[in-house]
Amino acid sequence: MQFAGTADYIADKDLMIAVNAAIALERPLLVKGEPGTGKTELARQVASALGLEMIEWNIKSTTRAQQGLYEYDAVSRLRDSQLGDPRVNDVKNYIRRGKLWQAFEAGRKVVLLIDEIDKADIEFPNDLLQELDRMEFHVYETGETVRAEIRPIVIITSNNEKELPDAFLRRCFFHYIRFPDADTLAKIVDVHYPGIKRQLVASALARFYEIRETPGLKKRPSTSEALDWIRLLVADDVDPADLRTDPKNALPKLHGALLKNEQDVHLFERLAFMARRER
């Protein structure tokens, strides 16, 4: 079972090695990188390439590790007991299976995506240490042990918003997705917009990387934002010559697709003002 990329996802050699190493070791693959570099999409493409079902667990700031295993709905059981519902005699009727339970009992190899684990509380990764390591957990209400007969491929993503515990990191195979260079990003654009004018792509990417490297930028635009911007340039039939850097108008065309806060917009407006004054 080897991942070699797909026609819809440009994966470099190091990323493919990381995916296949995690599969061989049967350890979770922890993928970090800037937002918009394709971490979540990687799990979908691995599942697609290997012909596997994907189970996705999207983590929020309020998510608890227990929710990934199961939840016991004691309130519903109490209500049903007051109403004389016979279902209360079987506690299993009030156990809600989480994403890990679904992956462990799938009966076949699946891809389990734990997306943006760094959004949760700092203790969240530690609370899943044993479950991800042993691929089993105990259900206290029923006394049963849920065990994965076929270990899922676990892909965990992080935007690096907070540090993850060392004990958790030791149990993972780690890969950092670097921001793509111009050649790789051009290939990504070609996958999404086949047949696009080469001259427009070259001019747009040159301008895009100039924007990314602007000193003082609070949020650098990501791959997904580059794709949105180029899509707008195509829709508006923008002349590639109009994308060349003009010191008197440093704010890029259709900048709302690239600059996502007022601080960065003001930065480019100040650069343009200073360039006009110097002239």
Side-chain angles (χ1 to χ4, degrees):
M1 186 171 285
Q2 292 281 308
F3 175 66
T6 69
D8 298 325
Y9 188 85
I10 303 299
D12 62 24
K13 182 179 179 181
D14 289 342
L15 179 55
M16 289 188 285
I17 290 173
V19 171
N20 291 321
I23 293 173
L25 293 171
E26 295 189 322
R27 287 189 177 275
L29 173 62
L30 174 62
V31 184
K32 289 188 178 183
E34 291 183 35
T37 49
K39 299 184 298 298
T40 301
E41 186 62 23
L42 171 65
R44 299 191 179 107
Q45 294 300 325
V46 169
S48 175
L50 302 180
L52 305 177
E53 176 191 354
M54 190 182 85
I55 297 174
E56 187 171 350
W57 186 16
N58 296 300
I59 307 303
K60 302 178 181 179
S61 60
T62 55
T63 303
R64 295 177 293 105
Q66 182 64 32
Q67 293 172 311
L69 308 179
Y70 70 92
E71 291 184 280
Y72 170 52
D73 192 353
V75 174
S76 293
R77 192 180 190 194
L78 175 61
R79 183 192 63 237
D80 289 348
S81 68
Q82 294 170 338
L83 296 174
D85 193 322
R87 296 174 69 249
V88 299
N89 296 319
D90 188 353
V91 70
K92 291 183 179 180
N93 291 323
Y94 303 93
I95 300 291
R96 299 176 182 174
R97 299 183 179 189
K99 299 295 184 180
L100 267 70
W101 190 329
Q102 294 174 31
F104 288 3
E105 287 204 335
R108 60 193 180 281
K109 181 77 80 174
V110 299
V111 175
L112 171 63
L113 169 63
I114 303 177
D115 200 24
E116 299 189 335
I117 194 171
D118 52 324
K119 280 187 175 180
D121 183 83
I122 189 63
E123 291 303 321
F124 180 92
N126 280 334
D127 291 342
L128 290 177
L129 283 180
Q130 298 302 321
E131 288 78 6
L132 290 176
D133 193 28
R134 299 179 181 176
M135 289 290 167
E136 66 177 36
F137 62 89
H138 187 70
V139 183
Y140 295 98
E141 288 77 6
T142 63
E144 65 181 309
T145 297
V146 177
R147 182 178 296 107
E149 299 298 331
I150 302 175
R151 295 176 71 96
I153 298 172
V154 181
I155 298 178
I156 304 170
T157 71
S158 169
N159 288 327
N160 226 10
E161 292 183 6
K162 62 169 68 80
E163 290 295 324
L164 299 175
D166 289 344
F168 180 79
L169 295 175
R170 283 197 299 272
R171 289 166 168 82
C172 298
F173 191 93
F174 172 77
H175 182 77
Y176 182 85
I177 298 182
R178 294 180 177 84
F179 194 83
D181 58 24
D183 289 341
T184 303
L185 188 50
K187 293 177 183 177
I188 295 172
V189 171
D190 192 51
V191 166
H192 285 80
Y193 310 120
I196 190 174
K197 297 176 183 177
R198 298 292 178 183
Q199 189 177 358
L200 176 59
V201 172
S203 297
L205 292 184
R207 185 73 177 106
F208 173 77
Y209 280 98
E210 287 176 359
I211 294 168
R212 266 187 64 87
E213 300 306 319
T214 300
L217 201 63
K218 182 177 180 181
K219 182 194 178 301
R220 297 193 295 177
S222 68
T223 305
S224 60
E225 288 158 345
L227 293 173
D228 288 344
W229 185 54
I230 291 174
R231 180 181 178 184
L232 290 173
L233 295 179
V234 172
D236 282 12
D237 197 21
V238 173
D239 188 335
D242 293 341
L243 296 176
R244 294 170 187 162
T245 304
D246 180 0
K248 294 183 294 183
N249 185 22
L251 201 62
K253 288 183 177 295
L254 301 168
H255 63 270
L258 298 176
L259 307 177
K260 297 303 177 74
N261 61 69
E262 63 279 7
Q263 177 178 318
D264 289 341
V265 173
H266 293 159
L267 171 63
F268 278 88
E269 289 174 342
R270 287 196 301 272
L271 292 174
F273 176 73
M274 292 170 61
R276 288 194 293 268
R277 285 190 60 183
E278 290 175 359
R279 293 198 172 196

